[in-house]
Amino acid sequence: LFEHNGELFMCPETLGANDIRIYRCADFPLRWELAQVAVADVQACDTLIFPFEGRWWLLTTVDSAHTGQPAAELWAFSADDPLGEWEPHPKNPLRNDTDSARNAGLLHDGTDLFRVSQRHGFAVYGAAATIRRITHLGAEGLIEEDVAEVTPDFRPDIHGVHHVHANSEVTVFDFVRHRRPR
């Protein structure tokens, strides 16, 4: 979710549609209308849209090999307006590894902006999540500083962590828990 010009927008998961879509809230929380296809003909997931240093940014994990499992390539697009034309970053992909490329949330602390990334393990979806402070995002690329790691060891039945999001009132995250069938 993001706000722009007093309106609420969202960018849901549209990997199966092969594009990145932005929806405008028509009647919160249940009615949303397509505002724009931001990027067409792309297999992408876990898209983040946010303003940073005077420009709008779209960070997403792209499956350029069409494997059906995007996890290793972090791509960036930028625009003057989130409903305008999104331009691909000339250095895409900005990340090409399964330890830092896949987005897992966006956190704000004052003027600091943090991208959360998923770390995959062997046969484990969401082995950990790393919180990274964005120190630069521009023509030269993306520079981040690792701040913390969230691992799935806070409960004995948790085997993976996936996303972390927060606002000034609530912090939420999701996790993988294995249960035996009853």
mmCIF file of all heavy atoms in Angstrom, residues 65-113:
data_model
loop_
_atom_site.group_PDB
_atom_site.id
_atom_site.type_symbol
_atom_site.label_atom_id
_atom_site.label_comp_id
_atom_site.label_asym_id
_atom_site.label_seq_id
_atom_site.Cartn_x
_atom_site.Cartn_y
_atom_site.Cartn_z
ATOM 1 N N ALA A 65 14.415 -15.709 -16.218
ATOM 2 C CA ALA A 65 14.614 -17.030 -16.827
ATOM 3 C C ALA A 65 13.313 -17.800 -16.976
ATOM 4 O O ALA A 65 13.309 -18.905 -17.513
ATOM 5 C CB ALA A 65 15.595 -17.840 -15.981
ATOM 6 N N HIS A 66 12.191 -17.221 -16.497
ATOM 7 C CA HIS A 66 10.865 -17.840 -16.599
ATOM 8 C C HIS A 66 10.824 -19.234 -15.965
ATOM 9 O O HIS A 66 10.295 -20.178 -16.536
ATOM 10 C CB HIS A 66 10.400 -17.890 -18.054
ATOM 11 C CG HIS A 66 10.407 -16.546 -18.710
ATOM 12 N ND1 HIS A 66 9.483 -15.573 -18.421
ATOM 13 C CD2 HIS A 66 11.271 -15.988 -19.595
ATOM 14 C CE1 HIS A 66 9.759 -14.479 -19.113
ATOM 15 N NE2 HIS A 66 10.842 -14.705 -19.832
ATOM 16 N N THR A 67 11.362 -19.337 -14.757
ATOM 17 C CA THR A 67 11.358 -20.605 -14.034
ATOM 18 C C THR A 67 10.087 -20.787 -13.219
ATOM 19 O O THR A 67 9.810 -21.881 -12.752
ATOM 20 C CB THR A 67 12.551 -20.688 -13.062
ATOM 21 O OG1 THR A 67 12.394 -19.674 -12.057
ATOM 22 C CG2 THR A 67 13.871 -20.527 -13.786
ATOM 23 N N GLY A 68 9.336 -19.702 -13.002
ATOM 24 C CA GLY A 68 8.148 -19.753 -12.164
ATOM 25 C C GLY A 68 8.462 -19.498 -10.696
ATOM 26 O O GLY A 68 7.571 -19.488 -9.862
ATOM 27 N N GLN A 69 9.729 -19.297 -10.374
ATOM 28 C CA GLN A 69 10.152 -19.064 -8.993
ATOM 29 C C GLN A 69 11.105 -17.865 -8.923
ATOM 30 O O GLN A 69 12.312 -18.032 -8.800
ATOM 31 C CB GLN A 69 10.853 -20.310 -8.439
ATOM 32 C CG GLN A 69 9.964 -21.505 -8.320
ATOM 33 C CD GLN A 69 8.852 -21.277 -7.307
ATOM 34 O OE1 GLN A 69 9.047 -20.668 -6.275
ATOM 35 N NE2 GLN A 69 7.660 -21.756 -7.629
ATOM 36 N N PRO A 70 10.586 -16.641 -8.995
ATOM 37 C CA PRO A 70 11.486 -15.496 -8.911
ATOM 38 C C PRO A 70 12.061 -15.364 -7.508
ATOM 39 O O PRO A 70 11.335 -15.295 -6.535
ATOM 40 C CB PRO A 70 10.588 -14.306 -9.256
ATOM 41 C CG PRO A 70 9.202 -14.776 -8.995
ATOM 42 C CD PRO A 70 9.201 -16.262 -9.159
ATOM 43 N N ALA A 71 13.380 -15.377 -7.396
ATOM 44 C CA ALA A 71 13.998 -15.260 -6.081
ATOM 45 C C ALA A 71 15.366 -14.603 -6.121
ATOM 46 O O ALA A 71 15.889 -14.250 -5.086
ATOM 47 C CB ALA A 71 14.123 -16.638 -5.435
ATOM 48 N N ALA A 72 15.953 -14.440 -7.289
ATOM 49 C CA ALA A 72 17.358 -14.053 -7.328
ATOM 50 C C ALA A 72 17.650 -12.699 -7.974
ATOM 51 O O ALA A 72 18.739 -12.180 -7.798
ATOM 52 C CB ALA A 72 18.167 -15.126 -8.042
ATOM 53 N N GLU A 73 16.733 -12.110 -8.721
ATOM 54 C CA GLU A 73 17.038 -10.865 -9.427
ATOM 55 C C GLU A 73 16.191 -9.711 -8.915
ATOM 56 O O GLU A 73 14.967 -9.702 -9.078
ATOM 57 C CB GLU A 73 16.793 -11.027 -10.933
ATOM 58 C CG GLU A 73 17.759 -11.965 -11.609
ATOM 59 C CD GLU A 73 17.549 -12.039 -13.111
ATOM 60 O OE1 GLU A 73 16.844 -11.172 -13.682
ATOM 61 O OE2 GLU A 73 18.083 -12.972 -13.720
ATOM 62 N N LEU A 74 16.826 -8.727 -8.290
ATOM 63 C CA LEU A 74 16.148 -7.519 -7.844
ATOM 64 C C LEU A 74 16.296 -6.459 -8.928
ATOM 65 O O LEU A 74 17.410 -6.087 -9.294
ATOM 66 C CB LEU A 74 16.753 -7.005 -6.530
ATOM 67 C CG LEU A 74 16.129 -5.705 -6.010
ATOM 68 C CD1 LEU A 74 14.675 -5.932 -5.583
ATOM 69 C CD2 LEU A 74 16.956 -5.155 -4.853
ATOM 70 N N TRP A 75 15.165 -6.013 -9.440
ATOM 71 C CA TRP A 75 15.129 -4.994 -10.479
ATOM 72 C C TRP A 75 14.534 -3.717 -9.908
ATOM 73 O O TRP A 75 13.691 -3.757 -9.013
ATOM 74 C CB TRP A 75 14.275 -5.459 -11.653
ATOM 75 C CG TRP A 75 14.928 -6.499 -12.523
ATOM 76 C CD1 TRP A 75 15.495 -7.672 -12.126
ATOM 77 C CD2 TRP A 75 15.060 -6.454 -13.933
ATOM 78 N NE1 TRP A 75 15.965 -8.369 -13.202
ATOM 79 C CE2 TRP A 75 15.713 -7.645 -14.335
ATOM 80 C CE3 TRP A 75 14.684 -5.536 -14.906
ATOM 81 C CZ2 TRP A 75 16.007 -7.920 -15.663
ATOM 82 C CZ3 TRP A 75 14.962 -5.820 -16.233
ATOM 83 C CH2 TRP A 75 15.622 -7.000 -16.601
ATOM 84 N N ALA A 76 14.962 -2.585 -10.477
ATOM 85 C CA ALA A 76 14.440 -1.281 -10.073
ATOM 86 C C ALA A 76 13.874 -0.556 -11.286
ATOM 87 O O ALA A 76 14.381 -0.683 -12.402
ATOM 88 C CB ALA A 76 15.537 -0.438 -9.437
ATOM 89 N N PHE A 77 12.815 0.186 -11.027
ATOM 90 C CA PHE A 77 12.213 1.083 -12.007
ATOM 91 C C PHE A 77 11.976 2.395 -11.270
ATOM 92 O O PHE A 77 11.768 2.406 -10.057
ATOM 93 C CB PHE A 77 10.876 0.531 -12.519
ATOM 94 C CG PHE A 77 10.998 -0.767 -13.264
ATOM 95 C CD1 PHE A 77 11.103 -1.975 -12.581
ATOM 96 C CD2 PHE A 77 11.010 -0.783 -14.645
ATOM 97 C CE1 PHE A 77 11.227 -3.175 -13.255
ATOM 98 C CE2 PHE A 77 11.122 -1.994 -15.342
ATOM 99 C CZ PHE A 77 11.232 -3.185 -14.640
ATOM 100 N N SER A 78 11.979 3.516 -12.005
ATOM 101 C CA SER A 78 11.718 4.795 -11.348
ATOM 102 C C SER A 78 10.790 5.635 -12.211
ATOM 103 O O SER A 78 10.663 5.423 -13.417
ATOM 104 C CB SER A 78 13.021 5.547 -11.070
ATOM 105 O OG SER A 78 13.658 5.907 -12.274
ATOM 106 N N ALA A 79 10.141 6.600 -11.543
ATOM 107 C CA ALA A 79 9.188 7.484 -12.227
ATOM 108 C C ALA A 79 9.082 8.785 -11.443
ATOM 109 O O ALA A 79 9.364 8.833 -10.244
ATOM 110 C CB ALA A 79 7.821 6.814 -12.328
ATOM 111 N N ASP A 80 8.655 9.828 -12.135
ATOM 112 C CA ASP A 80 8.383 11.098 -11.458
ATOM 113 C C ASP A 80 7.100 11.019 -10.658
ATOM 114 O O ASP A 80 6.930 11.725 -9.675
ATOM 115 C CB ASP A 80 8.276 12.242 -12.478
ATOM 116 C CG ASP A 80 9.597 12.536 -13.163
ATOM 117 O OD1 ASP A 80 10.656 12.404 -12.504
ATOM 118 O OD2 ASP A 80 9.588 12.889 -14.356
ATOM 119 N N ASP A 81 6.188 10.167 -11.111
ATOM 120 C CA ASP A 81 4.868 10.013 -10.504
ATOM 121 C C ASP A 81 4.540 8.518 -10.523
ATOM 122 O O ASP A 81 4.800 7.850 -11.533
ATOM 123 C CB ASP A 81 3.848 10.802 -11.346
ATOM 124 C CG ASP A 81 2.458 10.782 -10.776
ATOM 125 O OD1 ASP A 81 1.807 9.708 -10.808
ATOM 126 O OD2 ASP A 81 1.990 11.830 -10.311
ATOM 127 N N PRO A 82 3.974 7.960 -9.437
ATOM 128 C CA PRO A 82 3.718 6.512 -9.436
ATOM 129 C C PRO A 82 2.694 6.064 -10.473
ATOM 130 O O PRO A 82 2.614 4.883 -10.790
ATOM 131 C CB PRO A 82 3.223 6.232 -8.013
ATOM 132 C CG PRO A 82 2.691 7.529 -7.531
ATOM 133 C CD PRO A 82 3.541 8.588 -8.186
ATOM 134 N N LEU A 83 1.916 7.002 -11.017
ATOM 135 C CA LEU A 83 0.969 6.658 -12.082
ATOM 136 C C LEU A 83 1.484 7.097 -13.445
ATOM 137 O O LEU A 83 0.754 7.109 -14.428
ATOM 138 C CB LEU A 83 -0.404 7.258 -11.789
ATOM 139 C CG LEU A 83 -1.038 6.780 -10.483
ATOM 140 C CD1 LEU A 83 -2.377 7.469 -10.248
ATOM 141 C CD2 LEU A 83 -1.190 5.279 -10.461
ATOM 142 N N GLY A 84 2.763 7.458 -13.494
ATOM 143 C CA GLY A 84 3.388 7.863 -14.747
ATOM 144 C C GLY A 84 4.100 6.684 -15.398
ATOM 145 O O GLY A 84 3.828 5.520 -15.109
ATOM 146 N N GLU A 85 5.038 7.010 -16.268
ATOM 147 C CA GLU A 85 5.780 5.973 -16.985
ATOM 148 C C GLU A 85 6.976 5.529 -16.141
ATOM 149 O O GLU A 85 7.800 6.353 -15.730
ATOM 150 C CB GLU A 85 6.271 6.506 -18.333
ATOM 151 C CG GLU A 85 6.947 5.456 -19.162
ATOM 152 C CD GLU A 85 7.297 5.955 -20.559
ATOM 153 O OE1 GLU A 85 6.628 6.883 -21.038
ATOM 154 O OE2 GLU A 85 8.232 5.404 -21.140
ATOM 155 N N TRP A 86 7.071 4.229 -15.909
ATOM 156 C CA TRP A 86 8.160 3.657 -15.129
ATOM 157 C C TRP A 86 9.315 3.309 -16.053
ATOM 158 O O TRP A 86 9.141 2.593 -17.035
ATOM 159 C CB TRP A 86 7.685 2.409 -14.386
ATOM 160 C CG TRP A 86 6.746 2.731 -13.267
ATOM 161 C CD1 TRP A 86 5.378 2.763 -13.326
ATOM 162 C CD2 TRP A 86 7.107 3.097 -11.942
ATOM 163 N NE1 TRP A 86 4.867 3.118 -12.098
ATOM 164 C CE2 TRP A 86 5.904 3.327 -11.219
ATOM 165 C CE3 TRP A 86 8.313 3.244 -11.260
ATOM 166 C CZ2 TRP A 86 5.889 3.699 -9.877
ATOM 167 C CZ3 TRP A 86 8.299 3.610 -9.931
ATOM 168 C CH2 TRP A 86 7.099 3.830 -9.255
ATOM 169 N N GLU A 87 10.508 3.794 -15.712
ATOM 170 C CA GLU A 87 11.705 3.550 -16.514
ATOM 171 C C GLU A 87 12.571 2.499 -15.822
ATOM 172 O O GLU A 87 12.849 2.613 -14.630
ATOM 173 C CB GLU A 87 12.509 4.838 -16.655
ATOM 174 C CG GLU A 87 11.751 5.970 -17.309
ATOM 175 C CD GLU A 87 12.493 7.300 -17.205
ATOM 176 O OE1 GLU A 87 13.698 7.306 -16.861
ATOM 177 O OE2 GLU A 87 11.862 8.326 -17.468
ATOM 178 N N PRO A 88 13.016 1.479 -16.550
ATOM 179 C CA PRO A 88 13.890 0.483 -15.930
ATOM 180 C C PRO A 88 15.246 1.091 -15.585
ATOM 181 O O PRO A 88 15.751 1.957 -16.305
ATOM 182 C CB PRO A 88 14.023 -0.604 -16.993
ATOM 183 C CG PRO A 88 13.657 0.051 -18.280
ATOM 184 C CD PRO A 88 12.739 1.187 -17.952
ATOM 185 N N HIS A 89 15.826 0.654 -14.497
ATOM 186 C CA HIS A 89 17.153 1.120 -14.101
ATOM 187 C C HIS A 89 18.172 0.581 -15.095
ATOM 188 O O HIS A 89 18.114 -0.592 -15.482
ATOM 189 C CB HIS A 89 17.478 0.636 -12.681
ATOM 190 C CG HIS A 89 18.609 1.369 -12.067
ATOM 191 N ND1 HIS A 89 19.923 1.121 -12.393
ATOM 192 C CD2 HIS A 89 18.627 2.369 -11.147
ATOM 193 C CE1 HIS A 89 20.706 1.926 -11.707
ATOM 194 N NE2 HIS A 89 19.942 2.690 -10.930
ATOM 195 N N PRO A 90 19.127 1.405 -15.519
ATOM 196 C CA PRO A 90 20.100 0.934 -16.521
ATOM 197 C C PRO A 90 21.018 -0.182 -16.029
ATOM 198 O O PRO A 90 21.622 -0.879 -16.840
ATOM 199 C CB PRO A 90 20.913 2.195 -16.853
ATOM 200 C CG PRO A 90 20.684 3.135 -15.728
ATOM 201 C CD PRO A 90 19.332 2.813 -15.166
ATOM 202 N N LYS A 91 21.106 -0.383 -14.714
ATOM 203 C CA LYS A 91 21.986 -1.433 -14.180
ATOM 204 C C LYS A 91 21.229 -2.676 -13.721
ATOM 205 O O LYS A 91 21.779 -3.494 -12.983
ATOM 206 C CB LYS A 91 22.818 -0.880 -13.029
ATOM 207 C CG LYS A 91 23.807 0.183 -13.486
ATOM 208 C CD LYS A 91 24.757 0.567 -12.387
ATOM 209 C CE LYS A 91 25.792 1.538 -12.944
ATOM 210 N NZ LYS A 91 26.809 1.859 -11.954
ATOM 211 N N ASN A 92 19.966 -2.831 -14.152
ATOM 212 C CA ASN A 92 19.199 -4.021 -13.777
ATOM 213 C C ASN A 92 19.876 -5.291 -14.257
ATOM 214 O O ASN A 92 20.415 -5.303 -15.361
ATOM 215 C CB ASN A 92 17.783 -3.942 -14.365
ATOM 216 C CG ASN A 92 16.874 -3.087 -13.519
ATOM 217 O OD1 ASN A 92 17.085 -2.905 -12.335
ATOM 218 N ND2 ASN A 92 15.837 -2.553 -14.147
ATOM 219 N N PRO A 93 19.846 -6.346 -13.469
ATOM 220 C CA PRO A 93 19.342 -6.410 -12.101
ATOM 221 C C PRO A 93 20.341 -5.802 -11.118
ATOM 222 O O PRO A 93 21.549 -5.969 -11.269
ATOM 223 C CB PRO A 93 19.161 -7.906 -11.844
ATOM 224 C CG PRO A 93 20.164 -8.562 -12.734
ATOM 225 C CD PRO A 93 20.292 -7.666 -13.938
ATOM 226 N N LEU A 94 19.798 -5.117 -10.092
ATOM 227 C CA LEU A 94 20.658 -4.488 -9.095
ATOM 228 C C LEU A 94 21.222 -5.512 -8.117
ATOM 229 O O LEU A 94 22.258 -5.277 -7.496
ATOM 230 C CB LEU A 94 19.892 -3.418 -8.324
ATOM 231 C CG LEU A 94 19.352 -2.260 -9.161
ATOM 232 C CD1 LEU A 94 18.680 -1.225 -8.269
ATOM 233 C CD2 LEU A 94 20.444 -1.616 -9.999
ATOM 234 N N ARG A 95 20.538 -6.612 -7.941
ATOM 235 C CA ARG A 95 21.003 -7.732 -7.117
ATOM 236 C C ARG A 95 20.750 -9.001 -7.909
ATOM 237 O O ARG A 95 19.755 -9.103 -8.613
ATOM 238 C CB ARG A 95 20.237 -7.843 -5.793
ATOM 239 C CG ARG A 95 20.386 -6.695 -4.866
ATOM 240 C CD ARG A 95 21.664 -6.826 -4.035
ATOM 241 N NE ARG A 95 21.781 -5.731 -3.099
ATOM 242 C CZ ARG A 95 22.285 -4.530 -3.390
ATOM 243 N NH1 ARG A 95 22.702 -4.268 -4.608
ATOM 244 N NH2 ARG A 95 22.371 -3.586 -2.474
ATOM 245 N N ASN A 96 21.648 -9.955 -7.762
ATOM 246 C CA ASN A 96 21.478 -11.235 -8.434
ATOM 247 C C ASN A 96 21.950 -12.344 -7.499
ATOM 248 O O ASN A 96 22.983 -12.958 -7.713
ATOM 249 C CB ASN A 96 22.241 -11.260 -9.757
ATOM 250 C CG ASN A 96 21.817 -12.425 -10.629
ATOM 251 O OD1 ASN A 96 20.924 -13.180 -10.276
ATOM 252 N ND2 ASN A 96 22.466 -12.575 -11.766
ATOM 253 N N ASP A 97 21.202 -12.541 -6.423
ATOM 254 C CA ASP A 97 21.491 -13.621 -5.487
ATOM 255 C C ASP A 97 20.260 -13.887 -4.629
ATOM 256 O O ASP A 97 19.438 -13.019 -4.409
ATOM 257 C CB ASP A 97 22.708 -13.313 -4.615
ATOM 258 C CG ASP A 97 22.459 -12.206 -3.628
ATOM 259 O OD1 ASP A 97 21.813 -12.471 -2.593
ATOM 260 O OD2 ASP A 97 22.890 -11.070 -3.869
ATOM 261 N N THR A 98 20.149 -15.112 -4.151
ATOM 262 C CA THR A 98 18.976 -15.498 -3.372
ATOM 263 C C THR A 98 19.064 -15.072 -1.912
ATOM 264 O O THR A 98 18.114 -15.258 -1.169
ATOM 265 C CB THR A 98 18.752 -17.020 -3.433
ATOM 266 O OG1 THR A 98 19.916 -17.681 -2.939
ATOM 267 C CG2 THR A 98 18.448 -17.475 -4.847
ATOM 268 N N ASP A 99 20.167 -14.475 -1.489
ATOM 269 C CA ASP A 99 20.293 -13.998 -0.114
ATOM 270 C C ASP A 99 19.783 -12.570 0.072
ATOM 271 O O ASP A 99 19.558 -12.151 1.200
ATOM 272 C CB ASP A 99 21.743 -14.059 0.363
ATOM 273 C CG ASP A 99 22.183 -15.465 0.722
ATOM 274 O OD1 ASP A 99 21.312 -16.348 0.847
ATOM 275 O OD2 ASP A 99 23.394 -15.679 0.878
ATOM 276 N N SER A 100 19.629 -11.808 -1.021
ATOM 277 C CA SER A 100 19.239 -10.405 -0.838
ATOM 278 C C SER A 100 18.283 -9.846 -1.881
ATOM 279 O O SER A 100 17.797 -8.735 -1.735
ATOM 280 C CB SER A 100 20.488 -9.514 -0.811
ATOM 281 O OG SER A 100 21.110 -9.491 -2.077
ATOM 282 N N ALA A 101 17.995 -10.580 -2.935
ATOM 283 C CA ALA A 101 17.228 -10.006 -4.040
ATOM 284 C C ALA A 101 15.722 -9.946 -3.788
ATOM 285 O O ALA A 101 15.067 -8.988 -4.197
ATOM 286 C CB ALA A 101 17.499 -10.783 -5.324
ATOM 287 N N ARG A 102 15.165 -10.935 -3.122
ATOM 288 C CA ARG A 102 13.701 -10.990 -3.005
ATOM 289 C C ARG A 102 13.205 -10.102 -1.869
ATOM 290 O O ARG A 102 13.604 -10.249 -0.720
ATOM 291 C CB ARG A 102 13.217 -12.421 -2.795
ATOM 292 C CG ARG A 102 11.708 -12.507 -2.907
ATOM 293 C CD ARG A 102 11.258 -13.879 -3.259
ATOM 294 N NE ARG A 102 9.810 -13.900 -3.357
ATOM 295 C CZ ARG A 102 9.120 -14.955 -3.710
ATOM 296 N NH1 ARG A 102 9.744 -16.075 -4.021
ATOM 297 N NH2 ARG A 102 7.808 -14.912 -3.779
ATOM 298 N N ASN A 103 12.303 -9.190 -2.216
ATOM 299 C CA ASN A 103 11.746 -8.260 -1.230
ATOM 300 C C ASN A 103 10.896 -8.996 -0.201
ATOM 301 O O ASN A 103 10.246 -9.989 -0.503
ATOM 302 C CB ASN A 103 10.880 -7.205 -1.921
ATOM 303 C CG ASN A 103 11.696 -6.274 -2.771
ATOM 304 O OD1 ASN A 103 12.774 -5.855 -2.387
ATOM 305 N ND2 ASN A 103 11.184 -5.939 -3.947
ATOM 306 N N ALA A 104 10.907 -8.428 1.021
ATOM 307 C CA ALA A 104 10.109 -8.996 2.102
ATOM 308 C C ALA A 104 9.508 -7.901 2.965
ATOM 309 O O ALA A 104 9.138 -8.135 4.098
ATOM 310 C CB ALA A 104 10.961 -9.931 2.954
ATOM 311 N N GLY A 105 9.399 -6.692 2.418
ATOM 312 C CA GLY A 105 8.755 -5.618 3.165
ATOM 313 C C GLY A 105 9.523 -4.314 3.087
ATOM 314 O O GLY A 105 10.642 -4.244 2.582
ATOM 315 N N LEU A 106 8.881 -3.280 3.609
ATOM 316 C CA LEU A 106 9.444 -1.937 3.618
ATOM 317 C C LEU A 106 9.132 -1.313 4.968
ATOM 318 O O LEU A 106 7.986 -1.361 5.431
ATOM 319 C CB LEU A 106 8.808 -1.107 2.485
ATOM 320 C CG LEU A 106 9.449 0.214 2.133
ATOM 321 C CD1 LEU A 106 10.862 0.011 1.579
ATOM 322 C CD2 LEU A 106 8.598 0.945 1.093
ATOM 323 N N LEU A 107 10.139 -0.763 5.620
ATOM 324 C CA LEU A 107 9.974 -0.162 6.934
ATOM 325 C C LEU A 107 10.481 1.276 6.901
ATOM 326 O O LEU A 107 11.454 1.582 6.206
ATOM 327 C CB LEU A 107 10.773 -0.945 7.985
ATOM 328 C CG LEU A 107 10.474 -2.433 8.113
ATOM 329 C CD1 LEU A 107 11.488 -3.112 9.018
ATOM 330 C CD2 LEU A 107 9.057 -2.644 8.625
ATOM 331 N N HIS A 108 9.824 2.143 7.667
ATOM 332 C CA HIS A 108 10.225 3.544 7.786
ATOM 333 C C HIS A 108 10.551 3.824 9.240
ATOM 334 O O HIS A 108 9.857 3.357 10.138
ATOM 335 C CB HIS A 108 9.085 4.475 7.370
ATOM 336 C CG HIS A 108 8.627 4.293 5.966
ATOM 337 N ND1 HIS A 108 9.123 5.013 4.918
ATOM 338 C CD2 HIS A 108 7.712 3.446 5.428
ATOM 339 C CE1 HIS A 108 8.536 4.635 3.809
ATOM 340 N NE2 HIS A 108 7.671 3.675 4.085
ATOM 341 N N ASP A 109 11.592 4.602 9.486
ATOM 342 C CA ASP A 109 11.906 5.078 10.826
ATOM 343 C C ASP A 109 12.388 6.509 10.673
ATOM 344 O O ASP A 109 13.544 6.747 10.305
ATOM 345 C CB ASP A 109 12.974 4.204 11.490
ATOM 346 C CG ASP A 109 13.259 4.620 12.924
ATOM 347 O OD1 ASP A 109 12.422 5.328 13.522
ATOM 348 O OD2 ASP A 109 14.318 4.244 13.450
ATOM 349 N N GLY A 110 11.473 7.459 10.899
ATOM 350 C CA GLY A 110 11.803 8.858 10.642
ATOM 351 C C GLY A 110 12.071 9.046 9.166
ATOM 352 O O GLY A 110 11.250 8.705 8.321
ATOM 353 N N THR A 111 13.271 9.530 8.839
ATOM 354 C CA THR A 111 13.637 9.717 7.433
ATOM 355 C C THR A 111 14.360 8.498 6.862
ATOM 356 O O THR A 111 14.638 8.458 5.669
ATOM 357 C CB THR A 111 14.532 10.958 7.262
ATOM 358 O OG1 THR A 111 15.710 10.794 8.070
ATOM 359 C CG2 THR A 111 13.796 12.222 7.686
ATOM 360 N N ASP A 112 14.662 7.516 7.706
ATOM 361 C CA ASP A 112 15.346 6.313 7.230
ATOM 362 C C ASP A 112 14.347 5.345 6.601
ATOM 363 O O ASP A 112 13.227 5.187 7.083
ATOM 364 C CB ASP A 112 16.062 5.599 8.373
ATOM 365 C CG ASP A 112 17.308 6.345 8.831
ATOM 366 O OD1 ASP A 112 17.881 7.105 8.028
ATOM 367 O OD2 ASP A 112 17.707 6.163 9.997
ATOM 368 N N LEU A 113 14.787 4.693 5.536
ATOM 369 C CA LEU A 113 13.970 3.721 4.826
ATOM 370 C C LEU A 113 14.722 2.399 4.812
ATOM 371 O O LEU A 113 15.930 2.363 4.541
ATOM 372 C CB LEU A 113 13.705 4.199 3.393
ATOM 373 C CG LEU A 113 12.785 3.375 2.529
ATOM 374 C CD1 LEU A 113 11.386 3.320 3.131
ATOM 375 C CD2 LEU A 113 12.715 3.964 1.126
#
